[in-house]
Amino acid sequence: MKEHHYLEQVKTYLQQLQNSICGSLEGADGEARFMEDSWVREQGGGGRSRVMKNGAVIEQGGVNYSHVFGEAMPASATAHRPELAGRSFNACGVSLVIHPHNPNIPTSHANVRFFIAEKPGEDPVWWFGGGFDLTPFYPAEEDVEHWHKTARAACAPFGEHYYQEYKEWCDKYFFLPHRNETRGVGGLFFDDLNTNTNGELDFEHAFGLMQSIGNHFIPAYVPIIERRKDTPFTEQQRQFQLYRRGRYVEFNLVYDRGTLFGLQTGGRTESILMSMPPLARWEYMYEAPEGSEEARLQEFLKPREWL
């Protein structure tokens, strides 16, 4: 079946992507290395988790590869595709979250994934999803513009509309309704991709776009690390970073589809929750002083055309 040939192609790419991203982040950190542990899922599949802790630049970061399969799609995967309920599935992906020490370096997240849903007597349904987004604490406009220029460059060879469409999707997805703010300054988010610009099923086009987005994460993020890693910071700025990390936790545990999918499919809990920061804090009724750098962050936490 051609869909399972697709699966093997995607798995090979994803494992190579995990290797290249880990190598680039180790180079950017300069000291720490990723620790790897492989895991097996009882119901089918497994993965390899790589985590870096207490580096020179990266306080904690994880770059995970997984391939899981099962007899029934979980609720998180069919919430917006109810017609797929009850199908068996294969899902593979790479997901990463990087939490730097320095509050001047943004937290960053990226994910690329592939699904196949099958049912006897019916054609398999397959699609790609993923994206990347940036969560600064003390944002610099040049960093945000660089991030979005790289995101646009990732999409451009496949169709001019993709960047704007996926940028707007990212702004809507990474939004905390209970805080009335975006999680950060956005980037790209896409799901259900299986066609070309003419609306025809097209594996090569969809896979190519997913690969381009995965391959552009390092060019988007590492230059920001290099620009900001030697910027001095105060204990007050560190405490603000920990306070804002609390928002990251709120999103991941309440709204994030990937977290819900992992938990609902019986994935490895340690790997699923590696997206959590090693330290975070909450403060009752916190208000940033008017005119402060901390207050300025709010100007960035709403959808905006950055380019």
Side-chain angles (χ1 to χ4, degrees), residues 270-291:
E270 288 296 317
S271 299
I272 297 161
L273 296 182
M274 70 85 206
S275 61
M276 297 297 108
L279 294 170
R281 59 184 283 267
W282 284 261
E283 183 175 330
Y284 182 70
M285 297 292 284
Y286 170 83
E287 283 192 33
E290 190 174 345

Side-chain angles (χ1 to χ4, degrees), residues 17 19 38 49-50 54 62 66 73 82 98 146 152 165 168 201 280 289 293:
L17 179 68
N19 291 340
S38 298
S49 299
R50 293 182 182 168
N54 300 316
S66 64
M73 297 274 285
I98 306 300
H146 164 77
R152 183 173 63 186
E165 181 182 329
E168 291 174 7
L201 275 178
E293 282 294 297

Side-chain angles (χ1 to χ4, degrees), residues 17-224:
L17 179 68
Q18 184 191 34
N19 291 340
S20 66
I21 288 176
C22 287
S24 296
L25 290 173
E26 286 177 348
D29 185 87
E31 284 186 14
R33 294 290 179 266
F34 282 93
M35 304 175 296
E36 177 178 303
D37 58 311
S38 298
W39 53 275
V40 175
R41 176 176 172 269
E42 279 186 24
Q43 305 95 317
R48 60 187 195 193
S49 299
R50 293 182 182 168
V51 175
M52 176 187 288
K53 299 164 93 172
N54 300 316
V57 174
I58 296 171
E59 185 173 2
Q60 185 166 297
V63 183
N64 289 347
Y65 163 78
S66 64
H67 168 222
V68 299
F69 50 89
E71 292 305 312
M73 297 274 285
S76 60
T78 60
H80 68 300
R81 299 280 298 273
E83 73 277 11
L84 300 180
R87 285 180 174 240
S88 64
F89 71 94
N90 271 272
C92 58
V94 164
S95 181
L96 67 94
V97 178
I98 306 300
H99 294 288
H101 281 288
N102 192 322
N104 294 288
I105 305 174
T107 285
S108 186
H109 157 261
N111 167 252
V112 284
R113 57 189 181 270
F114 179 60
F115 274 81
I116 301 175
E118 297 177 273
K119 187 176 184 179
E122 296 188 23
D123 288 338
V125 178
W126 58 267
W127 70 94
F128 291 94
F132 50 63
D133 67 289
L134 193 70
T135 306
F137 310 99
Y138 291 92
E141 297 233 5
E142 67 174 312
D143 293 347
V144 182
E145 288 177 10
H146 164 77
W147 180 259
H148 279 273
K149 281 179 182 175
T150 312
R152 183 173 63 186
C155 298
F158 298 88
E160 288 299 322
H161 66 288
Y162 281 118
Y163 166 72
Q164 192 62 35
E165 181 182 329
Y166 291 173
K167 184 261 183 203
E168 291 174 7
W169 203 344
C170 188
D171 289 337
K172 289 175 184 173
Y173 180 75
F174 292 108
F175 184 78
L176 285 80
H178 65 285
R179 300 291 192 180
N180 193 31
E181 64 186 30
T182 56
R183 186 168 82 171
V185 295
L188 302 171
F189 180 87
F190 70 101
D191 208 356
D192 304 322
L193 174 67
N194 57 14
T195 61
N196 57 31
T197 52
N198 296 322
E200 303 156 334
L201 275 178
D202 189 334
F203 174 80
E204 295 301 330
H205 177 89
F207 185 28
L209 178 50
M210 184 271 261
Q211 289 178 84
S212 185
I213 290 171
N215 295 343
H216 277 77
F217 170 74
I218 287 297
Y221 190 45
V222 167
I224 299 173

Side-chain angles (χ1 to χ4, degrees), residues 167 171 175 180-182 184-185 297-306:
K167 184 261 183 203
D171 289 337
F175 184 78
N180 193 31
E181 64 186 30
T182 56
V185 295
L297 175 62
Q298 288 300 321
E299 299 171 18
F300 287 76
L301 302 182
K302 52 193 173 188
R304 193 198 300 185
E305 294 304 322
W306 296 103

